[in-house]
Amino acid sequence: MTGPDAGGVTTVRAAGTVLWRRSAADGKVEIALVHRPRYDDWSLPKGKLKRGEDFAAAAVRETHEETGMRCVLGASLPASRYLVEGRPKEVRYWSAEAVDGGFTPNREVDRVVWLPPAAARHRLTHDRDRPLVDAFLEAVTP
């Protein structure tokens, strides 16, 4: 969803999560990253708001659509603001604990990986996503 801002510029509004779970092997935190074939990048699950949808609802919906996982939102994380094709974009994020579900490849996302935070931070394609992992680690006790 987009909305006009001061000066008539339209900001693209989106929401996402740092989706996490505890490893069945050792109980340590793992973070989900999605691979988007259209951009050939690794990122956090996120997407645009639908008309009338709030940021938190969009974060839960987009996380489920992209990863197949249902989640419970936790701490609010810093928003990310950047330009996409000359238009401003704002993405609001939350930590989100995965509670159940399973991934099925789709048109938007062909792979999901679960990685320890340091490996997830390294695998992320965009530098702007790395501080979100840091903020997640500060907000959630690993």
Side-chain angles (χ1 to χ4, degrees):
M1 179 171 180
T2 60
D5 295 329
V9 176
T10 301
T11 296
V12 176
R13 290 178 169 78
T17 65
V18 175
L19 182 66
W20 67 278
R21 69 180 185 191
R22 295 222 176 255
S23 165
D26 60 12
K28 293 186 178 177
V29 168
E30 297 176 319
I31 294 173
L33 300 184
V34 298
H35 181 261
R36 303 179 305 168
R38 178 179 176 190
Y39 304 105
D40 191 24
D41 68 354
W42 287 98
S43 67
L44 298 164
K46 66 181 175 298
K48 295 175 190 168
L49 275 65
K50 291 184 176 183
R51 185 174 311 279
E53 188 176 40
D54 67 35
F55 284 94
V60 169
R61 178 184 53 78
E62 284 289 342
T63 297
H64 184 256
E65 288 177 5
E66 292 191 355
T67 68
M69 300 301 294
R70 288 175 191 72
C71 64
V72 175
L73 294 185
S76 177
L77 301 173
S80 183
R81 292 175 182 85
Y82 51 96
L83 293 177
V84 176
E85 297 176 2
R87 289 179 59 194
K89 184 171 186 175
E90 175 187 15
V91 187
R92 294 189 191 173
Y93 286 94
W94 284 263
S95 69
E97 185 173 7
V99 291
D100 67 10
F103 176 68
T104 301
N106 59 65
R107 178 175 63 80
E108 285 186 61
V109 176
D110 62 352
R111 288 181 280 166
V112 170
V113 294
W114 290 91
L115 299 169
R121 191 180 192 288
H122 181 73
R123 173 86 58 104
L124 285 164
T125 301
H126 305 285
D127 289 338
R128 67 178 170 258
D129 292 338
R130 291 186 181 94
L132 291 161
V133 174
D134 300 337
F136 162 78
L137 290 171
E138 289 177 18
V140 175
T141 303

